[in-house]
């Protein structure tokens, strides 16, 4: 290939470069079109209040790139791909569209304090660059999708104030989590022993759920914990040794059925 390029005439090299550039732009164009379509799905299915007042809509048909026109709460990276979708308190209704995973460069998603229902799409783990997910104060139901384990860069997770249920095992492989609030839902099952592998965890609130069983002794491995709220559940047995948690400032174990210290 190197020898061929060296013997090419200048005009041929220029043509080859132009063809290559068009191929790259063509691929990018397809990705942009897919993301514009996903934004259109959000507009039609969720109706963010700020978008209703916008001069242009991603559904107009003349958008070539997701950030070609200003749209409240939408930011793009240097490749022109959607990286932030921040639409809290926008009176949104409906459910999360599965096409949202087509915004594969998404890093920060905030749909907090709206009127959204339904469950989190099963393919949500395809958002592999997501580092913050904020869905508090909605009416979401269902369980945590197993695909969550693919979101290896997730550091902040806020699901409080919904109607989620079932175990939280799919979250236990997320070793990058720093802050996690699952309070005021209907989660059940024991607190998995794998929580001890979440070595970056600084804040966790799982209060006001229906967790049961004994607290895992592996909690002592979460050495960076500063705030631990496990109140208003159905935990039983003795309190494990938390002395190794030197940075712990707030501990709430109230309204359980715990009987003493291990």
């Amino acid at each position: 290939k190197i020898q061929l390029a060296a013997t090419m005439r200048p005009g041929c090299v220029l043509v080859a470069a132009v063809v290559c550039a068009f191929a790259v732009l063509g691929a990018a164009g397809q990705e942009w079109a897919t993301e514009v379509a996903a934004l259109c799905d959000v507009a039609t299915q969720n109706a963010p209040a700020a978008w209703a007042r916008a001069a242009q809509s991603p559904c107009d048909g003349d958008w070539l790139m997701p950030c070609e026109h200003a749209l409240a709460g939408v930011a793009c990276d240097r490749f022109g791909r959607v990286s932030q979708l921040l639409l809290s308190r926008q009176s949104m209704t409906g459910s999360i569209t599965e096409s949202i995973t087509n915004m594969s460069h998404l890093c920060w998603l905030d749909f907090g304090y709206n009127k959204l229902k339904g469950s989190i799409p099963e393919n949500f783990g395809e958002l592999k660059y997501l580092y913050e997910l904020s869905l508090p104060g909605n009416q979401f139901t269902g369980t945590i999708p197993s695909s969550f384990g693919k979101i290896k860069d997730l550091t902040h997770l806020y699901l409080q104030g919904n109607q989620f249920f079932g175990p939280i095992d799919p979250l236990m492989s997320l070793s990058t989590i720093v802050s996690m609030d699952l309070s005021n839902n209907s989660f059940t099952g024991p607190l998995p022993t794998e929580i001890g592998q979440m070595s970056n965890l600084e804040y966790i609130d799982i209060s006001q759920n229906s967790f049961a069983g004994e607290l895992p002794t592996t909690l002592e491995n979460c050495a960076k914990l500063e705030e631990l709220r496990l109140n208003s559940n159905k935990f039983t047995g003795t309190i494990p040794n938390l002395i190794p948690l030197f940075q712990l400032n707030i501990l709430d174990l109230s309204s359980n059925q715990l009987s003493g210290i291990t």
Side-chain angles (χ1 to χ4, degrees):
K1 292 181 180 178
I2 295 175
Q3 290 178 347
L4 179 60
T7 57
M8 271 188 180
R9 294 181 179 179
C12 295
V13 173
L14 178 59
V15 170
V18 170
V19 170
C20 181
F22 271 109
V24 172
L25 288 174
Q30 291 178 354
E31 293 168 345
W32 293 333
T34 299
E35 295 197 356
V36 169
L39 289 174
C40 178
D41 287 343
V42 173
T44 55
Q45 297 181 33
N46 307 131
W51 290 14
R53 301 186 296 269
Q56 292 93 11
S57 166
C59 301
D60 288 345
D62 61 345
W63 285 38
L64 298 179
M65 300 173 63
C67 289
E68 182 173 356
H69 304 287
L71 199 58
V74 180
C76 291
D77 59 21
R78 61 191 180 93
F79 302 106
R81 308 286 297 279
V82 177
S83 60
Q84 296 182 15
L85 193 55
L86 311 180
L87 295 172
S88 65
R89 304 181 190 277
Q90 289 294 314
S91 301
M92 293 198 298
T93 57
S95 57
I96 298 179
T97 172
E98 290 191 4
S99 64
I100 201 167
T101 58
N102 291 333
M103 303 183 202
S104 58
H105 283 213
L106 202 59
C107 296
W108 187 359
L109 176 62
D110 185 353
F111 280 178
Y113 305 103
N114 284 289
K115 301 174 183 178
L116 296 169
K117 299 180 179 180
S119 57
I120 299 176
E122 283 296 324
N123 62 340
F124 207 76
E126 299 303 317
L127 296 174
K128 59 182 180 181
Y129 297 117
L130 202 64
Y131 66 76
E132 180 162 341
L133 174 61
S134 185
L135 303 176
N138 283 284
Q139 301 169 35
F140 289 117
T141 59
T143 58
I144 302 295
S146 58
S147 64
F148 254 68
K150 298 179 181 179
I151 313 176
K152 298 300 184 182
D153 293 329
L154 194 64
T155 58
H156 294 75
L157 177 63
Y158 304 112
L159 303 180
Q160 69 269 25
N162 284 286
Q163 300 168 28
F164 291 115
F165 57 84
I168 60 171
D169 297 70
L171 303 177
M172 293 299 104
S173 62
L174 303 177
S175 59
T176 54
I177 288 283
V178 173
S179 180
M180 181 166 66
D181 194 337
L182 309 178
S183 63
N184 195 17
N185 279 285
S186 298
F187 288 115
T188 56
L191 184 59
T193 58
E194 290 82 1
I195 194 170
Q197 300 173 15
M198 304 177 80
S199 56
N200 292 300
L201 197 59
E202 298 177 3
Y203 170 88
I204 180 172
D205 186 347
I206 61 170
S207 64
Q208 300 182 63
N209 279 284
S210 296
F211 290 106
E214 297 188 356
L215 296 178
T217 58
T218 52
L219 272 172
E220 66 178 10
N221 297 329
C222 300
K224 296 182 180 180
L225 262 180
E226 299 177 6
E227 190 166 339
L228 177 60
R229 297 183 180 274
L230 309 179
N231 53 291
S232 302
N233 281 288
K234 300 176 182 179
F235 290 118
T236 57
T238 56
I239 300 172
N241 178 25
L242 301 178
I243 294 177
L245 304 182
F246 296 114
Q247 300 187 51
L248 193 63
N249 294 316
I250 298 176
L251 173 63
D252 192 344
L253 303 176
S254 63
S255 300
N256 282 289
Q257 301 171 39
L258 298 166
S259 58
I261 300 176
T262 301

